[in-house]
Amino acid sequence: MISVTASLVFDMLCLGLSIVFFWSTFVVMIGLIRPAKRHPRAERKLKFAVLVCARNEERVIRLPVKSILMSKYPSDCRELIVLADNCTDATVSRALEAGALVWEKKTPSAGKGDVLAWGIERVVASGKYDAIAVFDADNIASDGWFDAMNDALQDGETVVTGRRCSSNACTSLISGWYTVYWDMMNELSNRVRTNLGLSGKLTGTGFAFLVSALGPEGWKTRTMVEDVEFTVQTNFRGGRVAYVPEADYADEQPETFQYMWRQLRRWATGGWQVARLYLFPWLGALCRHPSLRLFDSFFAILTGMSVSFILLFNVLGLVFRLCSGQVGGHAFAVFFGVFGFIFVMGWFTAIAAVALSPDKRMPTARSVLTFPVFSLILSASVLYTLVRPTRTWKPIPHTGG
């Protein structure tokens, strides 16, 4: 009897968590119908401080430096600064040779958020810049990136993110999975939410914001996912992250399971940190100032977690059904029905995202067809880090190949 009751409880938990999942699906469907906003060409050019975070990136640091310096944007309206975080290789000398200004950080850093806080504090203190752009050491920015961001920032937006593409989409199955994932973030999350007047989400790099968009404490993040945390902070201040698809850039994706798992664990750990730090403040803010944008902003973060727990509770429900003697078709029908639905939705969203993406670096058919496996690994990382969170921030090495 207890096993039967427990299985029903897990079924109800799956149903409750599916509300988050179906809300995101509803947003996608409506957002794809809504036409995108076009930003008019701005006459004035904002002055950008362009920050490139780097720790021992001698093999790739020339990529962002060269692409940014070759941009069509006026050279006197952008200053490229490499934030060299305790580098022990030739990153500093190679960045200088490529034409960048280098600020060397020699004090300990807990992660990229610390490095950004250090660099942004110096940028703001100088009083010379209107906006700040953030890139990683392996990024390649398109020549129109700054013009597109400038237009958006002068058309009412305060925090904007570009279209993230893969420079190694077909190198391996895993880099192909990442390519599909970023297509989903671009087309089925950031684009649709921006179309609806909601908030997109920063994805770690390739974004920009007005200096005035910072809170009174400047850049202050405490988690391993400084991008998501800054997104939440922006939402709390009444702002949003707007997606600018014309501002495209490419970066290198992990190609092996080892580095994929390291990165997913860091993302998942950071997600739990954000949930613990901001869930109750978010509920309080939502009660004081109800808004659809604020409501959706946290639901977008919780979607991945909800899928993880739907899968977990589905497994536990099967276990309790079998313990109660339900060895017939019903127990397995429910179990495989839930898993089948998640897999089918994974295939559907993967195919839709790749089809909607204007990027020419297409992943292989193998990566698209097996993408639900990546989703399962991502869900596993969420559950794993709930028990064994990542304690230290470790970079993902880049080859520049």
Side-chain angles (χ1 to χ4, degrees):
M1 185 65 181
I2 295 176
S3 296
V4 174
T5 302
S7 65
L8 290 174
V9 169
F10 286 124
D11 286 346
M12 295 305 296
L13 287 171
C14 285
L15 183 61
L17 288 169
S18 67
I19 294 174
V20 178
F21 178 79
F22 283 114
W23 168 259
S24 293
T25 303
F26 174 75
V27 168
V28 169
M29 299 302 295
I30 302 300
L32 287 175
I33 299 172
R34 187 75 176 268
K37 179 181 179 181
R38 298 293 181 182
H39 300 289
R41 178 69 64 186
E43 295 297 327
R44 175 174 170 249
K45 300 295 185 183
L46 298 173
K47 185 164 185 179
F48 284 87
V50 189
L51 304 182
V52 178
C53 299
R55 176 183 288 181
N56 293 339
E57 298 284 11
E58 62 181 5
R59 289 177 291 183
V60 296
I61 191 61
R62 288 191 178 93
L63 296 175
V65 174
K66 290 296 185 182
S67 66
I68 291 167
L69 294 182
M70 291 174 63
S71 165
K72 296 186 299 183
Y73 204 72
S75 58
D76 60 339
C77 292
R78 52 170 167 74
E79 186 161 27
L80 175 57
I81 306 163
V82 171
L83 304 181
D85 176 27
N86 293 282
C87 293
T88 57
D89 64 357
T91 297
V92 172
S93 60
R94 294 190 179 180
L96 290 170
E97 290 169 2
L101 174 65
V102 178
W103 291 351
E104 292 188 68
K105 186 177 188 297
K106 297 184 179 180
T107 54
S109 300
K112 183 180 173 183
D114 281 0
V115 181
L116 279 176
W118 175 79
I120 289 172
E121 182 179 10
R122 296 182 66 175
V123 167
V124 173
S126 72
K128 300 191 312 183
Y129 307 97
D130 303 303
I132 297 172
V134 177
F135 286 99
D136 280 346
D138 63 325
N139 291 168
I140 303 173
S142 65
D143 61 359
W145 192 94
F146 288 96
D147 283 309
M149 291 302 203
N150 181 68
D151 294 342
L153 289 173
Q154 295 198 67
D155 191 32
E157 306 295 352
T158 58
V159 183
V160 287
T161 185
R163 179 164 59 87
R164 189 170 187 171
C165 309
S166 298
S167 59
N168 58 335
C170 298
T171 304
S172 74
L173 177 67
I174 289 173
S175 68
W177 284 344
Y178 272 93
T179 304
V180 177
Y181 177 79
W182 293 125
D183 284 345
M184 291 175 61
M185 286 298 303
N186 292 336
E187 305 301 326
L188 302 181
S189 182
N190 284 342
R191 183 189 291 273
V192 297
R193 285 182 163 83
T194 299
N195 291 353
L196 293 172
L198 303 175
S199 178
K201 185 170 70 174
L202 300 180
T203 58
T205 183
F207 64 92
F209 55 91
L210 296 175
V211 172
S212 59
L214 291 168
E217 295 182 336
W219 179 283
K220 186 176 182 180
T221 58
R222 294 171 286 173
T223 70
M224 287 192 174
V225 285
E226 70 290 330
D227 50 347
V228 177
E229 188 175 356
F230 185 63
T231 298
V232 173
Q233 293 172 352
T234 299
N235 297 154
F236 279 9
R237 289 192 286 266
R240 72 165 182 167
V241 174
Y243 176 61
V244 183
E246 298 81 10
D248 58 302
Y249 64 99
D251 70 345
E252 182 182 334
Q253 309 306 319
E255 297 175 1
T256 66
F257 185 87
Q258 174 190 356
Y259 293 127
M260 177 184 70
W261 183 242
R262 176 189 294 182
Q263 187 174 69
L264 295 184
R265 283 184 60 200
R266 187 176 73 220
W267 288 356
T269 298
W272 285 118
Q273 291 172 334
V274 169
R276 284 193 293 267
L277 285 172
Y278 292 98
L279 178 59
F280 289 109
W282 170 73
L283 289 171
L286 190 61
C287 291
R288 291 191 302 271
H289 307 288
S291 76
L292 189 60
R293 181 185 295 175
L294 193 57
F295 171 82
D296 173 73
S297 64
F298 224 79
F299 263 47
I301 296 171
L302 296 176
T303 298
M305 294 180 179
S306 69
V307 173
S308 300
F309 280 98
I310 287 172
L311 294 171
L312 173 63
F313 293 149
N314 185 45
V315 172
L316 293 176
L318 175 65
V319 171
F320 279 103
R321 282 190 177 87
L322 295 178
C323 289
S324 67
Q326 295 184 39
V327 295
H330 176 69
F332 287 100
V334 173
F335 175 78
F336 287 111
V338 172
F339 263 96
F341 178 77
I342 297 294
F343 262 70
V344 170
M345 288 299 295
W347 280 317
F348 178 78
T349 53
I351 293 169
V354 172
L356 290 168
S357 175
D359 188 29
K360 296 180 180 179
R361 302 178 184 89
M362 303 291 285
T364 62
R366 182 182 60 162
S367 295
V368 177
L369 292 175
T370 59
F371 183 75
V373 177
F374 177 83
S375 298
L376 285 179
I377 297 172
L378 181 58
S379 295
S381 72
V382 171
L383 299 175
Y384 182 83
T385 54
L386 182 59
V387 180
R388 296 191 62 183
T390 296
R391 299 296 183 186
T392 57
W393 189 93
K394 295 181 180 180
I396 305 299
H398 301 118
T399 66

